């Protein structure tokens, strides 16, 4: 496969009244590159980084003229255009011919060329639309910024007609010194192959083999004695290369790691050793780039997280650019991935289910060979006590397992009492902000024992806890003033030391590594940002960062009152069910009006700030 980058100088324009399709902006003859309505942009871009589009959610067109070399055209090839990420609905035309569309903001997709390409003058027109809608995932209300546009790389792909696709590498361990390597793939057309496995630090192959005249499904297995196992502390990588046997042409290459994730009773094991995840979450956002974060900055993030002592990262609430996973593979960071089935979605609709299922399929297809990725979460904080939602999530977990049976499959829950569906997940999860939104941090010990009752014999992960702090805002320790760095330190410190002492907790994740933009956050400390980051949006470390390395392994002495927890759950469950069903989900999450109100506050603030500057 060869790739030609289509990144670079594109033209663009907003389409406020949705007239572009009707007026056929996608036709080359209707395009005038000197038209004053066109903006010069550099693809990839999160269009909300452009002046005057800071809060724009709508239709945006992107145009690109490019030429191709004659030598790439040959009947032995197929051609595609690949978009690594574009939010949310993307429609593509080449030289006036419609090539297709994609829904979903976070997974890559290709469109096939339909003999519509030419050599010297190609005109690519791409219409993106990131409008919030009930049937989208996420739907209307969500607590992150809805960056729009073609915000990841675009590539022109030249694929051999005879090629390998859907290659999957599994590495089950017989023991820590003996691994199986099971490689499966599909051959499109017919191929005779030579393959090699190399240590990424050496150039002579460790294993080699060949397969002749294969078509359709194929693969090979081998036993590897004394492999270097992949883990966050020792991120050893191997390389698989597959050549076409006669021409010696490289058909496929990927790095992979030898590692195994297993669950037994209350524990998770990585390479047969008990795993404790000490992690953070991160949104794919860094100012001033939006989601289009340079490689170096992503590397800095992972390095800083590692230097604080974290071994795991939850890429909430969707998948980030694949660069991040390449870095995590290399540097050693466990990654928890998720699809944006978030808060209130249209769970009764089969179309929504199909969209979620496709997002999972696309995500697994992209990331299945990354050793750093160890779990698929099929959603976050959904109203799980509702029968249609429980059914939706169970089906989605089954679907995920059908596509990958080597990783943890779960969803992230915020329900203390009313989530009985956790029993069907591989690990049980909880997001709850004791000490911030509700109650005191001192309740964590007891409440964990309470909520654990219906999913007793499982590992638990505390997937979100945290407290907001405005960088630079300090207050007396005793006052524990909201949004002070001291308050954040108190909540996180107490929580982490409690979690470390709970034997059934296989991990915890601070919400969140970096402050991120959200319309929903508009008080005087937030000013359009969720401030629960342990670093500010400019990567300034808050007080808690000094403390984290000191407490990563420290345990609090806890009162053992597990049986009381069970009793409490049984007594309280019916009330909790009614309160949650009737009040909580409907009032808190039906947020379409709130979003519009908050967005207008944000708009006013930005326009005031720009006048002041
Ligand atoms: C949550 C959500 C996350 C929010 C966070 C918060 O539980 O999962 O998306 O940003 O709380 O800050 O309230």
């Amino acid at each position: 496969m060869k790739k030609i980058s289509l990144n670079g100088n594109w033209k663009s324009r907003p389409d406020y009244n949705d007239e572009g399709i009707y007026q056929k902006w996608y036709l080359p003859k209707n395009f005038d590159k000197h038209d004053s309505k066109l903006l010069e942009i550099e693809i990839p871009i999160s269009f909300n980084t452009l002046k005057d589009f800071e809060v724009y959610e709508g239709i945006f067109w992107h145009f690109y003229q490019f030429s191709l070399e004659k030598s790439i055209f040959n009947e032995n090839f197929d051609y595609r255009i690949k978009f690594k990420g574009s939010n949310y609905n993307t429609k593509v035309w080449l030289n006036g011919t419609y090539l297709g569309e994609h829904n979903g903001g976070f997974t890559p997709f290709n469109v096939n060329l339909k003999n519509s390409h030419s050599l010297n003058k190609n005109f690519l027109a791409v219409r993106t639309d990131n409008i919030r809608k009930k049937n989208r995932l996420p739907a209307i209300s969500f607590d992150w910024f809805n960056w729009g546009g073609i915000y990841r790389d675009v590539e022109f792909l030249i694929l051999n007609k005879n090629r390998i696709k859907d290659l999957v590498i599994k590495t089950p361990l017989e023991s820590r010194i003996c691994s199986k390597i099971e490689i499966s793939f599909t051959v499109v057309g017919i191929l005779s192959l030579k393959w090699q496995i190399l240590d990424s630090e050496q150039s002579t192959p460790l294993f080699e083999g060949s397969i002749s005249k294969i078509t359709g499904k194929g693969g090979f297995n081998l036993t590897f004695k004394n492999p270097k196992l992949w883990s966050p502390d020792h991120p050893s990588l191997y390389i698989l290369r597959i050549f076409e046997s006669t021409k010696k042409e490289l058909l496929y290459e990927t790095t992979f790691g030898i590692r195994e994730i297993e669950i037994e009773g209350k524990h998770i094991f990585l390479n047969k050793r008990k795993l404790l995840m000490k992690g953070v979450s991160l949104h794919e956002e860094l100012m001033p780039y939006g989601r289009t974060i340079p490689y170096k900055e992503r590397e800095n993030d992972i390095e800083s997280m590692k230097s604080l002592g974290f071994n795991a990262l939850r890429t909430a609430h969707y998948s980030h650019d694949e660069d991040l996973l390449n870095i995590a593979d290399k540097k050693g960071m466990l990654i928890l991935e998720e699809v944006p089935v978030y808060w209130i979605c249209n769970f009764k609709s089969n179309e929504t289910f199909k969209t979620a299922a496709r997002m999972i399929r696309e995500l697994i297809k992209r990331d299945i060979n990354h050793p750093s990725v160890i779990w698929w979460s099929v959603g976050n904080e959904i109203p799980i006590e509702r029968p249609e939602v429980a059914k939706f999530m169970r089906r989605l977990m089954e679907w995920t397992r059908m596509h990958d049976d080597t990783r943890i499959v779960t969803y992230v829950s915020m329900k203390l009492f009313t989530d009985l569906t956790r029993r069907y997940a591989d690990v049980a999860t909880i997001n709850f902000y004791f000490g911030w939104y509700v109650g005191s941090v001192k309740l964590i010990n007891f409440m964990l024992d309470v909520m654990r009752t219906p999913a007793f014999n499982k590992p638990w992960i505390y997937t979100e806890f945290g407290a907001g702090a405005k960088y630079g805002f300090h207050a007396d320790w005793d006052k524990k003033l909201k949004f002070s760095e001291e308050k954040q330190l108190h909540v996180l410190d107490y929580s982490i030391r409690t979690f470390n002492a709970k034997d059934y907790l296989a991990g915890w994740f601070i919400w969140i590594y970096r402050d991120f933009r959200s319309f929903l956050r508009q008080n005087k400390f937030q000013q359009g940002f969720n401030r629960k980051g342990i670093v500010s949006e400019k990567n300034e470390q808050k007080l808690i960062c000094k403390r984290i390395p000191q407490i990563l392994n420290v345990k609090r002495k806890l009162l053992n009152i597990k049986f009381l927890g069970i009793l409490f759950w049984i007594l309280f469950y019916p009330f909790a069910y009614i309160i949650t069903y009737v009040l909580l989900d409907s009032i808190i999450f039906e947020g379409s009006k709130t979003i519009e109100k908050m967005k207008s506050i944000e708009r006013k603030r930005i326009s005031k700030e720009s006048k002041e500057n």
Side-chain angles (χ1 to χ4, degrees):
M1 178 174 71
K2 291 192 194 87
K3 299 174 194 169
I4 298 170
S5 171
L6 299 183
N7 292 349
N9 295 320
W10 290 47
K11 303 270 183 198
S12 70
R13 64 178 287 190
D15 184 358
Y16 298 113
N17 304 316
D18 193 8
E19 54 198 12
I21 294 186
Y22 178 69
Q23 293 176 0
K24 302 195 168 120
W25 293 358
Y26 51 83
L27 289 182
K29 68 171 181 151
N30 293 341
F31 179 70
D32 168 10
K33 68 176 177 192
H34 302 295
D35 186 338
S36 61
K37 290 197 198 80
L38 292 176
L39 309 162
E40 300 271 347
I41 55 163
E42 187 78 20
I43 288 291
I45 192 170
S46 302
F47 67 57
N48 307 90
T49 56
L50 298 170
K51 189 162 171 357
D52 300 333
F53 295 94
E54 291 89 345
V55 295
Y56 180 62
E57 295 178 298
I59 300 166
F60 213 84
W61 286 75
H62 309 72
F63 307 103
Y64 189 54
Q65 289 176 305
F66 62 102
S67 51
L68 295 163
E69 282 182 22
K70 200 169 171 196
S71 60
I72 69 164
F73 289 104
N74 183 321
E75 76 226 7
N76 296 329
F77 297 122
D78 288 330
Y79 306 94
R80 312 251 190 283
I81 296 175
K82 175 170 183 169
F83 294 82
K84 290 191 178 174
S86 168
N87 188 25
Y88 175 94
N89 171 275
T90 307
K91 294 186 169 49
V92 185
W93 291 260
L94 185 67
N95 300 326
T97 303
Y98 181 58
L99 300 187
E101 70 173 334
H102 179 260
N103 282 305
F106 303 102
T107 41
F109 60 95
N110 296 340
V111 287
N112 296 350
L113 265 60
K114 299 180 180 160
N115 285 330
S116 46
H117 55 275
S118 66
L119 288 181
N120 300 327
K121 269 184 138 188
N122 286 296
F123 174 63
L124 186 59
V126 184
R127 174 190 184 271
T128 62
D129 133 27
N130 67 335
I131 299 167
R132 293 165 193 259
K133 289 187 181 167
K134 203 173 145 217
N135 287 332
R136 292 186 167 177
L137 292 173
I140 310 271
S141 180
F142 45 96
D143 187 24
W144 69 82
F145 195 80
N146 185 20
W147 296 100
I150 307 174
Y151 69 92
R152 293 185 189 153
D153 297 336
V154 189
E155 291 169 347
F156 187 87
L157 303 184
I158 304 159
L159 306 169
N160 287 33
K161 280 232 163 20
N162 295 317
R163 61 180 176 271
I164 290 172
K165 64 169 198 175
D166 301 337
L167 184 137
V168 176
I169 306 175
K170 294 185 181 174
T171 57
L173 300 189
E174 273 179 7
S175 67
R176 281 188 56 92
I177 53 165
C178 182
S179 156
K180 296 265 175 225
I181 299 193
E182 301 167 356
I183 298 182
S184 60
F185 49 78
T186 302
V187 170
V188 181
I190 182 160
L191 282 170
S192 289
L193 309 170
K194 278 206 164 123
W195 56 264
Q196 299 179 337
I197 292 178
L198 300 97
D199 185 316
S200 68
E201 284 162 9
Q202 285 155 21
S203 54
T204 40
L206 300 167
F207 299 94
E208 309 188 77
S210 56
I211 310 175
S212 61
K213 294 219 178 112
I214 172 171
T215 177
K217 292 217 180 304
F220 54 91
N221 295 344
L222 52 100
T223 303
F224 193 166
K225 294 251 156 67
N226 295 315
K228 290 196 251 172
L229 302 179
W230 186 96
S231 69
D233 291 336
H234 301 284
S236 312
L237 293 175
Y238 291 93
I239 301 172
L240 168 71
R241 289 201 182 116
I242 304 182
F243 299 92
E244 203 278 305
S245 64
T246 47
K247 289 190 215 145
K248 277 270 175 204
E249 186 187 348
L250 183 63
L251 292 171
Y252 200 97
E253 178 174 81
T254 183
T255 53
F256 67 99
I258 297 179
R259 64 112 188 87
E260 181 194 61
I261 283 284
E262 286 175 311
I263 291 173
E264 243 183 75
K266 296 177 295 187
H267 305 299
I268 300 177
F269 294 84
L270 173 67
N271 303 334
K272 314 268 180 223
R273 288 191 180 153
K274 206 165 123 187
L275 173 68
L276 283 180
M277 289 191 264
K278 298 176 177 187
V280 271
S281 294
L282 178 72
H283 270 292
E284 188 177 39
E285 175 183 288
L286 177 64
M287 307 310 286
Y289 313 104
R291 282 198 201 299
T292 315
I293 305 173
Y295 188 92
K296 191 72 210 128
E297 297 284 358
R298 294 187 200 265
E299 214 169 42
N300 286 345
D301 284 346
I302 298 284
E303 277 166 6
S304 316
M305 288 170 197
K306 281 197 73 107
S307 71
L308 290 170
F310 298 116
N311 63 1
L313 167 65
R314 175 171 171 231
T315 57
H317 291 291
Y318 43 76
S319 53
H320 295 200
D321 191 287
E322 204 182 347
D323 276 353
L324 186 83
L325 305 180
N326 292 328
I327 298 166
D329 288 349
K330 259 192 234 155
K331 306 241 170 222
M333 181 65 82
L334 299 164
I335 301 283
L336 277 53
E337 292 210 275
E338 192 158 283
V339 288
V341 176
Y342 181 94
W343 290 358
I344 297 291
C345 309
N346 194 358
F347 291 104
K348 287 192 175 138
S349 143
N350 204 31
E351 282 314 302
T352 311
F353 182 81
K354 283 194 201 151
T355 306
R358 182 175 45 71
M359 286 177 173
I360 284 170
R361 207 180 57 225
E362 289 169 349
L363 178 61
I364 294 181
K365 190 176 155 88
R366 190 191 76 169
D367 293 344
I368 191 145
N369 294 323
H370 285 286
S372 54
V373 177
I374 59 158
W375 103 347
W376 311 118
S377 156
V378 303
N380 178 76
E381 296 191 352
I382 55 279
I384 194 70
E385 61 289 323
R386 302 191 180 191
E388 73 277 11
V389 182
K391 192 168 151 216
F392 186 107
M393 297 314 272
R394 282 183 65 182
R395 263 177 87 195
L396 210 49
M397 287 193 286
E398 280 312 309
W399 165 262
T400 310
R401 290 186 185 112
M402 262 166 53
H403 287 78
D404 183 11
D405 58 4
T406 68
R407 288 177 171 83
I408 298 165
V409 175
T410 189
Y411 61 91
V412 171
S413 178
M414 63 171 302
K415 298 297 161 65
L416 299 178
F417 291 90
T418 54
D419 183 350
L420 302 182
T421 308
R422 283 190 181 108
R423 289 173 296 167
Y424 305 100
D426 296 343
V427 301
T429 60
I430 180 70
N431 291 353
F432 213 87
Y433 291 75
F434 288 107
W436 183 251
Y437 289 127
V438 189
S440 144
V441 267
K442 297 196 176 133
L443 285 171
I444 292 178
N445 177 29
F446 177 61
M447 288 312 291
L448 264 167
D449 291 343
V450 174
M451 67 181 96
R452 188 175 162 236
T453 306
F456 210 70
N457 198 24
K458 279 190 185 294
W460 275 72
I461 307 270
Y462 211 108
T463 26
E464 282 182 34
F465 63 107
K470 168 93 174 108
Y471 174 76
F473 175 59
H474 294 279
D476 281 353
W477 282 105
D478 315 337
K479 287 201 184 131
K480 303 210 178 71
L481 261 193
K482 276 215 154 187
F483 290 101
S484 69
E485 292 192 34
E486 288 73 11
K487 166 83 182 177
Q488 183 188 46
L489 191 150
H490 167 73
V491 171
L492 296 188
D493 174 278
Y494 195 98
S495 309
I496 291 172
R497 289 184 295 120
T498 309
F499 298 147
N500 287 344
K502 301 297 277 182
D503 61 345
Y504 52 85
L505 265 198
W508 47 257
F509 287 79
I510 295 177
W511 187 263
I512 185 167
Y513 179 69
R514 183 163 46 236
D515 290 354
F516 59 96
R517 280 186 76 186
S518 170
F519 290 150
L520 292 176
R521 310 287 166 173
Q522 298 295 349
N523 74 25
K524 69 174 176 178
F525 297 104
Q526 298 166 318
Q527 304 268 299
F529 282 87
N530 184 315
R531 295 279 178 208
K532 295 193 189 69
I534 58 170
V535 305
S536 73
E537 73 276 21
K538 295 182 187 138
N539 280 335
E540 297 146 317
Q541 292 199 332
K542 301 182 190 171
L543 217 51
I544 181 67
C545 290
K546 286 207 185 72
R547 186 87 175 120
I548 283 170
Q550 299 162 0
I551 53 162
L552 268 183
N553 301 310
V554 176
K555 299 179 180 178
R556 276 177 53 78
K557 266 211 157 23
L558 300 179
L559 215 59
N560 192 345
I561 38 172
K562 284 186 187 157
F563 74 97
L564 259 185
I566 300 173
L567 198 66
F568 196 79
W569 184 85
I570 295 170
L571 290 177
F572 207 73
Y573 175 75
F575 301 104
Y577 189 84
I578 294 166
I579 292 168
T580 319
Y581 200 106
V582 178
L583 294 175
L584 196 75
D585 293 339
S586 337
I587 295 171
I588 296 186
F589 293 142
E590 294 289 358
S592 50
K593 284 196 194 99
T594 321
I595 279 284
E596 282 315 312
K597 221 166 83 196
M598 299 300 224
K599 189 170 160 183
S600 92
I601 299 176
E602 176 88 349
R603 191 181 292 116
K604 280 186 202 137
R605 194 173 45 77
I606 289 176
S607 96
K608 191 170 155 228
E609 276 170 11
S610 79
K611 270 181 209 143
E612 281 166 10
N613 293 331

